[in-house]
Amino acid sequence: MAGAQSGTRTSSGAGAPSGAGALLVVGDVATDVVARHAGALTHGTDTVAEIRTLPGGAGANAACWAAYSGCADVRLLGRVGAGTADWHGTLLRGSGVRPMLVPDAEAPTATIVALVDAEAERTFLTDGGAALRLCPGDWSARLLDGVARLHLSGYLFFSEPSRELAGLALADALERGVPVSVDPASAGFIAAFGADRFLGATEGAAVLLPNADEARLLTGLPDAADAAARLSRHAPLVAVTLGARGALVAESGAVTARIAAVPAAPIDSTGAGDAFTGGFLASLLTGASPAAAAAAGCRAGAHAVTVRGGRPPGSTGTPP
């Protein structure tokens, strides 16, 4: 892998064996600036907020939640700004994730401003930075050694270099018989990119993990259950998150399970979908059924909304 920084990788290398096989996540690593504001934003003047700088990124968050949910071997390939590579690598290792971070001397780490309101709903302002520059030169099929599942963050598909890498990773995984999951990541970015283009780029994935808005957008169907069923003709297994209403599981054209949400007192919904993804994939790696995996994902998502930022408890560290 070109440009990998030894200071952000474990010494055992990408091909170290693990009991059930590893989960390899390829995706974005970001620095989150989370601003929690109790009142409405007031245009043109000040709004009081509690502001924290935290580690984030959909791919990195999902990897951390998979490790937190019990996956013993989680690996993450991402590109970050050289100035914060050590900080992000240290925090990922502390969360049980083996980081394979490519330091970028020209672009800073992706930065996301998350505006979190009194209902814990978040709105993102996103600067993709180095995450958009992950490229085919950063990929090697050897990264799949010992890997039982490959997960691709949907943000990879919205930049040409990272989309090319995602295509290579998907093709190499299919050649080796490694199942691939994709989190569509962003309804806003899918709308700009094109739903049909996105589905075409993810052809061959075994699992799709959209939220309800993304599922509706990808199918044009207004009902989340109908959208889940339709998407499961594109990928054999689909789990659609419904926020406070739980999740839907669809397989081969039909909804097969409806999972109730786990009660929680939310303070910040940042990363809740990533937590679902991590819990879901960790459970699948143990041989759990799709319904049981979705229930595990809901438990992780419920836990996520009770902590600040998108990572599991105890994994946020000191800001760089």
Side-chain angles (χ1 to χ4, degrees):
M1 180 178 64
Q5 185 184 52
S6 60
T8 59
R9 302 182 64 171
T10 59
S11 59
S12 54
S18 67
L23 170 65
L24 172 60
V25 178
V26 182
D28 47 317
V29 181
T31 300
D32 286 355
V33 179
V34 180
R36 296 177 65 235
H37 55 98
L41 294 174
T42 306
H43 182 69
T45 186
D46 297 313
T47 299
V48 174
E50 178 188 272
I51 301 174
R52 298 288 184 271
T53 300
L54 302 168
N61 292 345
C64 290
W65 280 101
Y68 190 81
S69 299
C71 188
D73 189 348
V74 184
R75 311 167 190 183
L76 173 69
L77 173 64
R79 182 177 275 262
V80 296
T84 57
D86 287 341
W87 182 68
H88 280 289
T90 297
L91 291 179
L92 287 164
R93 281 193 296 273
S95 296
V97 175
R98 182 184 306 179
M100 296 175 286
L101 303 182
V102 181
D104 194 312
E106 298 180 11
T109 298
T111 301
I112 298 172
V113 177
L115 306 175
V116 182
D117 64 21
E119 283 72 48
E121 185 57 76
R122 80 288 185 275
T123 300
F124 293 148
L125 302 174
T126 303
D127 179 349
L132 299 179
R133 291 159 56 88
L134 196 66
C135 65
D138 300 328
W139 173 256
S140 167
R142 292 194 302 271
L143 293 175
L144 292 168
D145 291 349
V147 168
R149 285 189 171 273
L150 170 66
H151 177 68
L152 302 176
S153 169
Y155 286 108
L156 295 169
F157 295 92
F158 306 130
S159 163
E160 184 174 351
S162 56
R163 184 165 60 251
E164 290 181 18
L165 178 146
L168 285 175
L170 178 59
D172 286 341
L174 293 178
E175 185 175 341
R176 290 189 177 207
V178 174
V180 180
S181 55
V182 177
D183 166 18
S186 170
F189 286 162
I190 291 170
F193 182 68
D196 289 342
R197 268 183 90 191
F198 186 86
L199 291 173
T202 59
E203 186 70 41
V207 181
L208 281 181
L209 297 162
N211 64 26
D213 288 341
E214 293 155 3
R216 294 184 188 106
L217 182 59
L218 286 169
T219 61
L221 298 175
D223 181 76
D226 291 342
R230 173 75 61 82
L231 283 175
S232 69
R233 298 189 187 105
H234 172 76
L237 173 59
V238 173
V240 177
T241 55
L242 306 174
R245 294 183 292 116
L248 295 168
V249 175
E251 300 173 76
S252 302
V255 172
T256 56
R258 296 174 182 266
I259 311 300
V262 175
I267 63 170
D268 181 358
S269 60
T270 303
D274 306 330
F276 178 91
T277 293
F280 182 88
L281 295 176
S283 186
L284 281 187
L285 275 167
T286 68
S289 69
C298 285
R299 290 193 295 272
H303 195 171
V305 300
T306 66
V307 298
R308 292 176 175 82
R311 298 282 178 89
S315 60
T316 55
T318 302

